[in-house]
Amino acid sequence: MVERQSPLELAPLEPELRTGSHGDFEHGIDVILSETRPGSILQLAAWPGQEKKLISGIRTVTGLALPDGAGAGSTDGVRSVFGFAPGKFTVVDGAEGLASAFANVVTPAIGTVTDLSHGRTAIRIAGPKAEWVLAKLFAIDFALPAFPVGAGRSTMHHDVFAQIQRTGADQFDIYVFRSFARSFWKALCHASEEVGYEVQ
Amino acid sequence: MLITCPYCGPRDVIEFTYQGDGNRERPQPASQNLDAWNAYVYDRLNPAGDHNEIWQHSGGCRAHLKVVRNTLTHDISSVAFARGDHKAAARHKAEGKA
Ligand SMILES: [Zn+2]
């Protein structure tokens, strides 16, 4: 696979990803922002009636069991999976090459595997004010009972489509189109200023 | 106005795209019945009250939905997948609150 360049570090004169503390950090850092740069981001879709086979194929390849229900998911810290639409799942791996691992498991009779590794940018927000900051950007319920750990949501911010997975009690991974990653990152930084944030 | 997507739950109307009147029946593509085509293209019930509509959750799960919306109050009394085979995936019942 060709080597990837982060869209957040493309412009050498004005990189958007500036590590360090920003905003109102003198009163504490309440969120940490980072780009997770997974090696593989896949979209898997089952043909009608083939969803159970696809879910068992995901378990075979990733070792992750998908809980029942719309938008359910799970993560082990390296690999993550969540439903984002009926019969459709996002599967992420820190390592490259996940698509070829699925090649013999998700056969054409079961569904499709689409490799989006180069098309999405993964941004993580973590910390006690992560829910607070995201609630300013997205009109969905981020409270833990409504949005449990592992679950995923498809939504949008100002027409920029986003998939969000809760990967910890106070941690979310956001997948945005690569071409919108810089502007979304900027909006996320602005939204985080009032709580104090650190870029890692 | 909120639409409760059967997959995603209650979402703001800004996430949805209106796909037209849900009462229409499209003639077979080869049909030469001009009355049927005329009715499909032009005839609308235009009720003052409950109206069958097709919406797409374009800013979410992208599913097409059958929605019953009250044209006077924007009350949404029913939401279901336009394709009927995703019942197992449904998490949210239509709550009917606009
Ligand atoms: Zn939806």
Side-chain angles (χ1 to χ4, degrees):
Chain A
M1 207 180 247
V2 280
E3 200 177 321
R4 253 181 291 163
Q5 168 84 51
S6 164
L8 303 180
E9 289 184 333
L10 273 181
L13 291 176
E14 198 199 349
E16 295 297 344
L17 199 146
R18 290 182 291 268
T19 54
S21 304
H22 304 277
D24 187 20
F25 62 88
E26 285 169 16
H27 298 99
I29 288 170
D30 282 335
V31 292
I32 293 166
L33 307 181
S34 58
E35 188 192 352
T36 61
R37 303 187 196 197
S40 303
I41 304 173
L42 307 184
Q43 187 167 302
L44 272 57
W47 303 121
Q50 299 294 310
E51 193 169 340
K52 288 212 167 73
K53 280 186 198 155
L54 184 69
I55 288 171
S56 94
I58 291 171
R59 193 184 314 118
T60 304
V61 171
T62 66
L64 295 173
L66 263 165
D68 270 345
S74 60
T75 180
D76 65 8
V78 178
R79 290 166 164 176
S80 300
V81 58
F82 57 92
F84 68 92
K88 296 179 182 173
F89 305 89
T90 293
V91 190
V92 179
D93 190 350
E96 291 183 12
L98 190 61
S100 41
F102 273 107
N104 297 322
V105 177
V106 179
T107 59
I110 295 174
T112 60
V113 177
T114 311
D115 192 341
L116 302 175
S117 309
H118 289 243
R120 300 288 183 274
T121 297
I123 292 166
R124 175 168 290 170
I125 178 168
K129 286 286 188 185
E131 275 185 27
W132 169 267
V133 169
L134 290 183
K136 296 197 289 181
L137 302 179
F138 298 100
I140 62 173
D141 191 348
F142 285 99
L144 194 56
F147 194 162
V149 174
R153 298 286 182 266
S154 303
T155 183
M156 57 184 200
H157 173 252
H158 281 236
D159 283 331
V160 176
F161 182 71
Q163 290 181 357
I164 307 170
Q165 184 182 31
R166 184 176 216 133
T167 50
D170 60 0
Q171 176 174 295
F172 299 86
D173 292 353
I174 308 163
Y175 299 89
V176 292
F177 295 127
R178 178 188 166 91
S179 53
F180 284 107
R182 284 166 67 88
S183 68
F184 179 77
W185 173 263
K186 231 169 169 170
L188 189 61
C189 289
H190 285 315
S192 305
E193 270 175 7
E194 58 151 343
V195 302
Y197 69 98
E198 182 182 323
V199 174
Q200 287 182 352
Chain B
M1 190 169 101
L2 294 178
I3 296 177
T4 300
C5 171
Y7 189 85
C8 304
R11 296 294 179 90
D12 191 272
V13 69
I14 202 166
E15 291 193 0
F16 297 84
T17 310
Y18 184 54
Q19 300 283 29
D21 188 329
N23 298 300
R24 296 176 297 167
E25 205 170 313
R26 186 187 166 95
Q28 289 300 314
S31 167
Q32 304 206 347
N33 182 337
L34 291 184
D35 287 342
W37 280 109
N38 189 76
Y40 172 70
V41 175
Y42 295 110
D43 288 359
R44 297 292 181 269
L45 294 171
N46 195 24
D50 282 349
H51 187 221
N52 295 318
E53 303 179 334
I54 303 294
W55 290 73
Q56 186 187 12
H57 193 190
S58 48
C61 67
R62 301 196 62 78
H64 288 83
L65 306 172
K66 288 189 283 196
V67 174
V68 178
R69 180 182 64 95
N70 188 297
T71 57
L72 298 175
T73 62
H74 289 315
D75 216 48
I76 308 277
S77 53
S78 148
V79 186
F81 291 115
R83 195 166 77 175
D85 60 355
H86 285 307
K87 290 193 186 78
R91 176 182 51 192
H92 299 276
K93 279 199 217 119
E95 279 147 19
K97 204 69 223 129

